[in-house]
């Protein structure tokens, strides 16, 4: 227990600061800087910007398993530091990327650099308090990811170039902090004694054991990500919300999600009810989305968004604790990299599906389809035996 306490002490505080900086810059870059800086300063078209954002998610997702393997072979300090330096190179290139291919390359490089830090977080928390600790890390992640676009949007109204250089400086600072990280491997020093072939066999066995969970893994990230391209237009055209009202809804949902993560994580650890946390969380999330699509007045929408945020807070720590049961011991890097890649497949499919549905049937249909998907996921977890939710 002493070693666990040390891990979640000074080391995790440093990792948490780096995670916050990385997610702050990521949210600001993807949601605000690339679209606004790309059009206003670099003069690029929206289709190029869309391809660049896709390139970011593509490299981030596809490289997660490779990054996980590297974390089991090299020190986390080396892998994270190298990744953040590559990410820094991507941010640095943006200012010169007034041609499409360079802009897309810069965004893709940025995606490569984002992969290691979150996988490190997944490998460095203790098993007995995993939901509580992941609740804390999810709070850091969500706060950074949400604060980045808000701050960036405000600054971009006044200082476009200044905002870019602020994000560049924060990227440099995150890479600098990585030099002070622990020099151990993600799965411990003993990992060198396990041949790659044996690791792959063990991972294959775990994937077979969790095959009932795989549809839910992909569907839940697809259901969430398909909302991303349609939410602004849905809020404006279907709900009739002004920009300030839409920002208030996003802030309320984000604050409730962030505030609920640690208490929900502790409650999940205490009760040991991962299955029912997931079932209730996904069911409530589905019901909230369904109600949101009925064009209710603003104050009703605000209540619904608060409920959505709290249900999201119930899902995340329990879901991570569930996945942790399927990661082979001493193969945490490769294991989490593989699971993150599977989850990322839904994140790559979702925005494309959401855009096609919105173009064909309207943004309201996308909200309903997403609600149905989350309802099906809740039903799926009702049907899955409890032993499968414990890694058996």
């Amino acid at each position: 227990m002493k070693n666990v306490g040390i891990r979640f002490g000074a080391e995790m505080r440093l990792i948490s600061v780096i995670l916050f900086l990385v997610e702050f810059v990521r949210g600001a870059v993807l949601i605000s800087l690339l679209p606004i800086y790309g059009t206003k300063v670099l003069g690029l078209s929206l289709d190029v910007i869309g391809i660049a954002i896709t390139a970011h998610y593509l490299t981030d997702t596809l490289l997660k398993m490779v990054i996980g393997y590297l974390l089991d072979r090299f020190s986390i300090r080396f892998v994270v530091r190298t990744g953040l330096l590559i990410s820094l190179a991507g941010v640095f290139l943006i200012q010169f990327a007034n041609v499409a291919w360079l802009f897309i390359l810069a965004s893709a490089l940025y995606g490569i650099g984002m992969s290691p830090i979150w996988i490190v977080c997944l490998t460095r928390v203790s098993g007995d308090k995993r939901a509580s600790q992941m609740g804390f890390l999810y709070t850091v992640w969500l706060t950074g990811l949400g604060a980045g676009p808000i701050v960036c949007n405000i600054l971009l109204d006044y200082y476009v170039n200044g905002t870019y250089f602020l994000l560049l400086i924060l990227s440099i600072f995150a890479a600098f902090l990585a030099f002070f990280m622990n020099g151990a491997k993600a799965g411990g020093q003993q990992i060198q004694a396990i041949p790659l072939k044996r690791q792959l066999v063990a991972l294959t066995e775990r994937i077979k054991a969790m095959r009932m969970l795989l549809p839910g893994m992909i569907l839940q990230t697809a259901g969430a990500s398909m909302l991303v391209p349609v939410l602004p237009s849905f809020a404006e055209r279907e709900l009739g919300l002004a920009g300030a009202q839409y920002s208030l809804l996003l802030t309320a949902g984000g604050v409730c999600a962030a505030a609920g993560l640690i208490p929900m994580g502790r409650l999940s650890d205490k009760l040991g009810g991962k299955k029912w946390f997931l079932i209730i969380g996904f069911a409530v999330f589905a019901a909230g989305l369904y109600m949101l699509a009925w064009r209710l007045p603003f104050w009703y929408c605000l209540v619904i968004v608060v409920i959505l945020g709290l249900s999201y807070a119930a899902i995340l720590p329990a879901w991570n604790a569930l996945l942790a049961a399927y990661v082979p011991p001493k193969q945490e890097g490769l294991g989490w990299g593989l699971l993150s890649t599977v989850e990322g497949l839904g994140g790559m499919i979702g925005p494309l599906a959401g855009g096609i549905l919105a173009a064909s049937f309207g943004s309201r249909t996308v909200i309903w389809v997403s609600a149905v998907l989350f309802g099906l996921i809740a039903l799926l977890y009702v049907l899955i035996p409890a032993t499968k939710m414990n890694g058996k």
Side-chain angles (χ1 to χ4, degrees), residues 6-85:
I6 292 173
R7 273 191 178 187
F8 207 68
E11 180 190 6
M12 287 307 298
R13 286 196 293 271
L14 176 61
I15 291 176
S16 298
V17 172
I18 296 173
L19 177 65
F20 176 82
L21 291 173
V22 165
E23 294 301 332
F24 183 96
V25 176
R26 185 211 288 262
V29 167
L30 293 179
I31 298 175
S32 301
L33 186 73
L34 288 183
I36 297 174
Y37 190 86
T39 53
K40 288 186 176 181
V41 178
L42 302 177
L44 298 171
S45 61
L46 290 176
D47 58 339
V48 171
I49 292 170
I51 294 172
I53 294 175
T54 300
H56 165 85
Y57 283 116
L58 186 64
T59 54
D60 181 35
T61 298
L62 295 181
L63 287 172
K64 275 189 168 71
M65 189 166 66
V66 176
I67 295 297
Y69 174 77
L70 293 176
L71 282 169
D72 285 338
R73 287 297 182 271
F74 302 97
S75 71
I76 61 173
R77 179 172 57 210
F78 172 77
V79 176
V80 173
R81 180 182 62 197
T82 303
L84 291 180
L85 288 175

Side-chain angles (χ1 to χ4, degrees), residues 305-318:
V305 166
V306 167
I307 294 172
L308 288 173
L310 292 175
S311 63
Y312 190 66
I315 291 169
L316 281 182

Side-chain angles (χ1 to χ4, degrees), residues 77-366:
R77 179 172 57 210
F78 172 77
V79 176
V80 173
R81 180 182 62 197
T82 303
L84 291 180
L85 288 175
I86 294 174
S87 173
L88 176 60
V91 176
F92 181 76
L93 283 175
I94 290 175
Q95 62 183 310
F96 306 107
N98 55 359
V99 292
W101 70 267
L102 188 55
F103 190 75
I104 295 169
L105 175 63
S107 185
L109 286 175
Y110 187 64
I112 294 173
M114 294 294 98
S115 296
I117 185 63
W118 183 245
I119 297 178
V120 167
C121 290
L122 295 174
T123 65
R124 304 307 280 179
V125 296
S126 59
D128 57 337
K129 296 294 183 183
R130 185 169 196 95
S132 301
Q133 294 176 355
M134 285 309 301
F136 170 76
L137 289 173
Y138 273 124
T139 302
V140 174
W141 165 73
L142 194 60
T143 303
L145 195 63
I150 293 173
V151 173
C152 193
N153 281 336
I154 295 173
L155 293 178
L156 281 170
D157 287 338
Y158 306 97
Y159 315 103
V160 176
N161 286 314
T163 304
Y164 165 76
F165 283 107
L166 171 63
L167 297 178
L168 182 63
I169 291 171
L170 291 178
S171 298
I172 294 172
F173 187 48
F176 170 74
L177 289 178
F179 281 81
F180 299 95
M181 292 182 67
N182 193 310
K185 298 180 179 66
Q189 299 295 337
Q190 303 96 315
I191 193 66
Q192 289 182 328
I194 304 177
L196 176 60
K197 185 176 181 180
R198 282 180 54 193
Q199 291 190 60
L200 293 177
V201 169
L203 281 173
T204 301
E205 291 175 353
R206 292 300 176 106
I207 291 296
K208 288 180 179 178
M210 65 182 299
R211 59 185 179 276
M212 295 183 69
L213 298 176
L214 294 178
M217 289 178 66
I218 297 174
L219 286 178
Q220 64 198 43
T221 51
S225 62
M226 71 190 303
L227 298 173
V228 174
V230 304
L231 279 179
S233 62
F234 173 77
E236 180 182 356
R237 298 174 186 175
E238 301 291 341
L239 300 180
L241 300 181
Q245 290 176 312
Y246 177 58
S247 296
L248 179 58
L249 287 183
L250 291 179
T251 303
V255 167
C256 289
L261 283 170
I262 295 177
M264 289 293 185
R266 288 175 177 170
L267 192 60
S268 177
D269 281 331
K270 184 177 180 179
L271 300 179
K274 295 189 291 287
K275 175 172 179 172
W276 290 104
F277 266 78
L278 292 172
I279 292 170
I280 295 172
F282 280 117
V284 172
F285 201 88
L289 281 178
Y290 179 78
M291 293 175 63
L292 197 63
W294 281 105
R295 302 172 181 168
L296 297 172
F298 171 74
W299 294 109
Y300 287 90
C301 293
L302 185 60
V303 173
I304 293 171
V305 166
V306 167
I307 294 172
L308 288 173
L310 292 175
S311 63
Y312 190 66
I315 291 169
L316 281 182
W319 174 248
N320 183 270
L322 170 61
L323 291 186
Y326 287 92
V327 176
K330 305 305 177 184
Q331 301 174 60
E332 285 87 352
L334 188 60
W336 280 113
L338 178 61
L339 294 179
S340 298
T341 301
V342 174
E343 284 189 297
L345 294 176
M348 293 166 56
I349 297 169
L352 178 61
I356 293 174
L357 283 173
S360 303
F361 305 104
S363 58
R364 196 179 180 195
T365 300
V366 180

